């Protein structure tokens, strides 16, 4: 049996989240529940092997914090994009939502595979937390209640924030993460988000909605 990294204990998970928040937000805590813990220097977990038996990079607290944040961020974004694909009044916004949802779902497959390789649970450790860029339950409720142009504006703003924040956090993983496969995935996410943000900015109504 190939050795795998064990999940970080709660204190080290909290430190990982604070570290990611500091890197991505210039020192502002990204998660209100975890931000009360004092960050510690990430310690590498034992080196693990890929399914083929090839050694991979050791996981750091930054890697853990990033993948455990990005997974629910994409999951929640997919829920909003599913609504937008069905209900957006502007056809180009609907088409954008369909294509972006497909991309986010493909990323989720890779993120979940990374969680498995790292020996981490697939549960959402951020459930109930106030995370920048996360589509919340209240956001989804507001979207379901909105209609017409108001719905389109809400989608554009929420997805813009999701793309920006997830790109920012992923850049932190690229520069500070310990795992080569995590950094590679983070780089792919940043490239995809930059392209999506550029396209979103050209959508009808984006100028008024995004300011």
């Amino acid at each position: 049996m190939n050795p795998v990294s064990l999940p970080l204990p709660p204190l080290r998970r909290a430190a990982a989240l604070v570290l990611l928040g500091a890197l991505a937000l210039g020192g502002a805590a990204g998660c209100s529940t975890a931000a009360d813990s004092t960050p510690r220097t990430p310690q590498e977990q034992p080196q693990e092997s890929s399914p083929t038996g090839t050694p991979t990079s050791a996981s750091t607290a930054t890697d853990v914090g990033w993948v455990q944040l990005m997974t629910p961020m994409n999951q929640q974004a997919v829920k909003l994009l599913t609504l937008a694909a069905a209900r957006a009044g502007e056809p180009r916004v609907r088409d954008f939502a369909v294509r972006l949802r497909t991309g986010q779902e493909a990323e989720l497959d890779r993120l979940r595979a990374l969680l498995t390789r790292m020996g981490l649970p697939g549960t959402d450790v951020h459930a109930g937390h106030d995370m920048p860029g996360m589509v919340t339950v209240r956001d989804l409720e507001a979207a379901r209640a909105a209609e017409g142009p108001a719905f389109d504006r809400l989608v554009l703003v929420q997805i813009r924030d999701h793309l920006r924040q997830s790109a920012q956090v992923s850049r932190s993983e690229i520069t500070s993460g310990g795992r080569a496969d995590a950094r590679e995935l983070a780089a792919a996410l940043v490239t995809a988000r930059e392209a999506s943000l550029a396209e979103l900015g050209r959508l009808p109504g984006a100028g008024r909605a995004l300011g």
Side-chain angles (χ1 to χ4, degrees):
M1 179 181 296
N2 293 329
V4 296
S5 296
L6 297 176
L8 291 181
L11 182 58
R12 287 194 51 205
R13 184 181 299 125
L17 295 175
V18 174
L19 175 61
L20 277 172
L23 289 170
L25 302 175
C31 174
S32 59
T33 302
D36 295 333
S37 298
T38 302
R40 297 182 178 182
T41 302
Q43 306 214 352
E44 290 189 344
Q45 300 180 36
Q47 189 179 60
E48 61 189 67
S49 298
S50 69
T52 61
T54 304
T56 61
S57 305
S59 301
T60 67
T62 300
D63 300 320
V64 172
W66 175 74
V67 71
Q68 289 188 324
L69 174 60
M70 286 305 309
T71 304
M73 284 188 77
N74 270 33
Q75 289 171 338
Q76 291 299 105
V78 164
K79 294 177 183 178
L80 180 59
L81 290 167
T82 298
L83 287 175
R87 295 185 50 206
E90 168 57 50
R92 286 176 58 186
V93 174
R94 287 200 305 271
D95 292 344
F96 174 76
V98 170
R99 286 183 283 104
L100 184 57
R101 180 182 60 185
T102 299
Q104 297 271 298
E105 288 173 335
E107 290 174 0
L108 270 174
D109 289 341
R110 297 182 67 183
L111 288 163
R112 288 164 177 156
L114 180 59
L115 281 169
T116 299
R117 291 197 299 274
M118 294 171 68
L120 295 168
T123 55
D124 181 4
V125 300
H126 297 288
H129 296 176
D130 183 12
M131 305 297 298
M134 184 84 75
V135 176
T136 66
V137 172
R138 281 181 294 180
D139 293 332
L140 291 171
E141 291 173 349
R144 293 186 184 102
E147 296 180 358
F151 176 85
D152 287 12
R153 286 194 298 270
L154 185 152
V155 168
L156 291 172
V157 171
Q158 292 294 335
I159 293 303
R160 186 272 312 272
D161 291 349
H162 162 72
L163 293 171
R164 281 184 175 177
Q165 184 64 21
S166 56
Q168 196 168 7
V169 174
S170 294
R171 292 187 187 99
S172 300
E173 167 62 23
I174 294 169
T175 58
S176 303
R179 292 180 61 98
D181 54 354
R183 294 197 307 270
E184 179 182 357
L185 178 53
L189 265 61
V190 169
T191 298
R193 276 147 181 71
E194 289 175 344
S196 294
L197 281 166
E199 183 178 359
L200 185 150
R202 296 190 297 268
L203 291 174
R208 294 188 301 274
L210 305 178

